[in-house]
Amino acid sequence: MTIDALTLKAQKVCENKGTRFTPIREKVFRLLAETTSGVGAYDLLEQLKVSEPNAKPATIYRALDFLADMGFIHKIESTNAFMLCHHFEQSHPVQLLICEQCGHVAELHSNVLSDELDQKANQLGFTITNQTVEARGLCKNCQ
């Protein structure tokens, strides 16, 4: 799906939820849509400053918080980076494959892995409220 198509889809989700997809939020969304690896907040800030020279760290963090709340992005906890979710129209389990050499991040949606983790957690009396599994290795291009 193209960046324009993803952006249009995000705009429609925002309309349906009664929230605003402001120009800054859209710009950050588009910056994330341009990459297949995770991007840190300060790297995003530097990219955003090209079109918004007065942007501050709070600008980026507010936009990232909004995009995360809407389900448009995933946070890669191990690298403190963010990536666009191309399947944001529905709730889904998330597994991320992170290449240690080139930084490429592939997103999987395995209900089997998610269900197994939920089952094991329930056996321990634990309720999972948010689940993102990260696996590190080498992508096919770096092997």
Side-chain angles (χ1 to χ4, degrees), residues 118 126-131:
D118 280 338
F126 189 87
T127 301
I128 295 174
T129 57
N130 185 15
Q131 182 187 130

Side-chain angles (χ1 to χ4, degrees), residues 69-142:
D69 289 345
M70 294 299 291
F72 296 157
I73 62 174
H74 298 299
K75 183 173 184 186
I76 305 168
E77 297 290 342
S78 63
T79 59
N80 200 26
F82 301 87
M83 65 174 281
L84 188 73
C85 174
H86 291 78
H87 310 92
F88 54 78
E89 67 279 356
Q90 61 198 18
S91 176
H92 58 275
V94 180
Q95 299 89 32
L96 303 175
L97 303 178
I98 305 164
C99 181
E100 294 178 321
Q101 188 164 324
C102 71
H104 175 77
V105 181
E107 180 180 348
L108 304 176
H109 307 121
S110 172
N111 287 321
V112 172
L113 288 174
S114 177
D115 292 346
E116 178 76 12
L117 187 56
D118 280 338
Q119 184 181 56
K120 296 292 184 185
N122 286 336
Q123 288 173 357
L124 297 173
F126 189 87
T127 301
I128 295 174
T129 57
N130 185 15
Q131 182 187 130
T132 301
V133 176
E134 299 180 20
R136 303 185 74 73
L138 296 175
C139 70
K140 65 181 177 183
N141 293 330
C142 293

Side-chain angles (χ1 to χ4, degrees), residues 1-3 6 27-41 43-44 47 64 72-74 76 81-86 102-107:
M1 185 175 287
T2 68
I3 293 173
L6 281 168
K27 287 177 182 180
V28 174
F29 179 93
R30 286 179 173 274
L31 289 172
L32 286 164
E34 292 173 358
T35 184
T36 60
S37 61
V39 182
D43 290 333
L44 283 168
Q47 293 174 41
L64 289 170
F72 296 157
I73 62 174
H74 298 299
I76 305 168
F82 301 87
M83 65 174 281
L84 188 73
C85 174
H86 291 78
C102 71
H104 175 77
V105 181
E107 180 180 348

